[in-house]
Amino acid sequence: MNFHFNRYFLISGLLMLMCGLLAPIYSPYAIAQIGLLQAHLIGAVQALVFFAFAWMWPQLTLPVFSKKIATISLYISLWANWLGTFFVGVFGAGKEQYIVHQDLVPGATGFWNVVTLLLINLSLLAVLATLLAIVGFLKYDCLVRRAKTMNYTSLALFMACIGIALFQTFNPEYSNG
């Protein structure tokens, strides 16, 4: 049986799993131990997402540029989400930032609050990667013929997701973090 997969997604999944497994080791020194618990769980779950995408990626029929946008979106969203959650545990978070059933996370405000909030908000890009994967599995001939339109749409959605993440970061009342 010849099994095709995306090697880089598989490696990222293994690294994500390792980071998730190792995150709780730092918990005695963390400001918000609940954040490290979340980093542990997110690492394990997102590793499975990387594994699923590794399997499906060679099967997609997307224009090359749209596939690159989806790849970049997946990497940024999953790694930023894990790193942001890890930073919540290590540095704490400001009063506006929530994690785990809307429990307030202790910690300082300022630079690290903005960084962690931005990283967690960038997880929105996973929606774009998933949407593009769905479109790639539909295998519509019109998508292959209209590669330019698909590429422009992918880029516009990528920029919109970045804009929304920035908006949410600097307007935390609208944040998903």
Side-chain angles (χ1 to χ4, degrees):
M1 183 165 114
N2 196 359
F3 183 68
H4 298 284
F5 58 92
N6 181 301
R7 181 173 174 250
Y8 298 108
F9 283 156
L10 187 64
I11 291 168
S12 278
L14 291 169
L15 289 173
M16 179 72 68
L17 181 61
M18 184 64 70
C19 289
L21 292 172
L22 294 176
I25 291 173
Y26 190 78
S27 66
Y29 313 104
I31 291 175
Q33 285 94 359
I34 194 77
L36 289 181
L37 174 62
Q38 280 296 100
H40 168 70
L41 296 172
I42 285 171
V45 170
Q46 288 185 168
L48 296 175
V49 174
F50 270 127
F51 297 153
F53 272 82
W55 164 77
M56 75 173 87
W57 220 240
Q59 317 304 321
L60 298 182
T61 56
L62 283 173
V64 173
F65 185 73
S66 291
K67 205 168 187 178
K68 284 182 184 179
I69 292 286
T71 301
I72 290 166
S73 296
L74 190 67
Y75 280 123
I76 290 173
S77 65
L78 297 184
W79 281 108
N81 188 42
W82 183 85
L83 196 58
T85 307
F86 182 76
F87 283 169
V88 165
V90 172
F91 299 112
K95 63 181 176 153
E96 306 94 7
Q97 199 160 350
Y98 301 91
I99 197 164
V100 186
H101 303 297
Q102 300 297 313
D103 294 331
L104 284 171
V105 175
T109 58
F111 175 76
W112 285 110
N113 185 51
V114 173
V115 169
T116 57
L117 198 54
L118 176 61
L119 289 170
I120 291 170
N121 286 332
L122 284 171
S123 66
L124 174 64
L125 288 168
V127 174
L128 177 58
T130 304
L131 177 66
L132 289 172
I134 291 168
V135 170
F137 271 121
L138 293 176
K139 297 188 180 194
Y140 287 137
D141 289 335
C142 64
L143 294 176
V144 175
R145 288 192 313 262
R146 297 195 174 122
K148 269 188 181 179
T149 304
M150 184 69 195
N151 289 337
Y152 287 132
T153 304
S154 299
L155 182 60
L157 289 172
F158 180 80
M159 298 306 288
C161 287
I162 297 292
I164 290 168
L166 289 170
F167 176 78
Q168 287 180 324
T169 299
F170 296 105
N171 299 284
E173 62 272 18
Y174 300 105
S175 177
N176 64 349

